Amino acid sequence: GQQLNQSPQSMFIQEGEDVSMNCTSSSIFNTWLWYKQDPGEGPVLLIALYKAGELTSNGRLTAQFGITRKDSFLNISASIPSDVGIYFCAGRSQGAQKLVFGQGTRLTINP
Amino acid sequence: DARVTQTPRHKVTEMGQEVTMRCQPILGHNTVFWYRQTMMQGLELLAYFRNRAPLDDSGMPKDRFSAEMPDATLATLKIQPSEPRDSAVYFCASGLWGADTQYFGPGTRLTVL
């Protein structure tokens, strides 16, 4: 079945640093999504990507839909304490309603 | 502020007991998903519904799990009998068919002793 490899699994950074994480897939996706999960809550959608090569920003977050359609990247600039949480990538193939989720990247920020 | 609600938020039970988790999707959403989250497996899709009809429950252990939508405002996930390996956080999410955004509830944290 479809698999998503998300890396890194965890990150420990200093406040103010930039963050990069990525997801790769064994198959092509038509949609890439990035979610954030705060402790004790469900995932919340951050950014949705629909076209290969697309670069989309949401405040300090920027995500890209890879040209091969098998990968996606999320960058966070100038991290702040509220960025702490688990970030998930998710992909959807053409015609599918189900999302395939990555394993998550746990972000910890030292003040 | 429309949100998916889930009850209970926490449940501790003993092995062999029946567990029922409830979800109220966002009003107007016609697609409901049930996920299970564990440290080892991450987010796993258990089942999903369109217009209250089950479309796919291949992610669910059939012998003990069952998911239903008695009406458009209520989705249930039952485990009978529960086992320690069922301990996890169970999320419900809702959305519109064909749209990408799934809105997640806060989850039910289940502990089976």
Side-chain angles (χ1 to χ4, degrees), chain A residues 31 33 35 37 40-45 48 50 86 88 92 97-99 101-103 106, chain B residues 9 33 35 37 40-43 45 48 56 91 96-102 104-106:
Chain A
T31 302
L33 306 170
Y35 283 84
Q37 184 178 21
E41 299 295 329
V44 174
L45 182 66
Y50 301 102
I86 305 176
F88 291 96
R92 187 201 311 277
Q97 186 68 17
K98 295 192 291 188
L99 293 177
F101 280 85
Q103 291 291 90
R106 183 180 295 273
Chain B
R9 290 295 309 272
F33 304 81
Y35 290 90
Q37 185 177 39
M40 294 299 295
Q41 300 296 328
L43 268 169
L45 179 65
Y48 69 99
D56 187 344
F91 288 104
L96 293 172
W97 181 260
D100 291 301
T101 305
Q102 294 182 17
F104 282 77

Side-chain angles (χ1 to χ4, degrees), chain A:
Chain A
Q2 293 175 319
Q3 291 183 333
L4 284 185
N5 293 312
Q6 187 172 348
S7 65
Q9 290 186 351
S10 60
M11 301 183 73
F12 297 86
I13 63 169
Q14 297 292 123
E15 183 178 350
E17 288 185 14
D18 296 343
V19 172
S20 292
M21 59 191 79
N22 69 83
C23 262
T24 58
S25 167
S26 57
S27 55
I28 288 173
F29 285 123
N30 279 27
T31 302
W32 281 97
L33 306 170
W34 285 92
Y35 283 84
K36 184 195 177 196
Q37 184 178 21
D38 290 326
E41 299 295 329
V44 174
L45 182 66
L46 297 173
I47 293 178
L49 302 159
Y50 301 102
K51 289 170 57 175
E54 179 181 355
L55 190 71
T56 297
S57 293
N58 178 4
R60 294 176 296 104
L61 278 61
T62 302
Q64 185 164 22
F65 193 138
I67 291 292
T68 65
R69 297 168 64 191
K70 291 186 176 183
D71 56 8
S72 181
F73 307 86
L74 176 69
N75 295 314
I76 305 173
S77 62
S79 58
I80 60 177
S82 61
D83 292 334
V84 164
I86 305 176
Y87 292 80
F88 291 96
C89 61
R92 187 201 311 277
S93 52
Q94 186 170 8
Q97 186 68 17
K98 295 192 291 188
L99 293 177
V100 179
F101 280 85
Q103 291 291 90
T105 295
R106 183 180 295 273
L107 179 62
T108 303
I109 297 176
N110 298 316

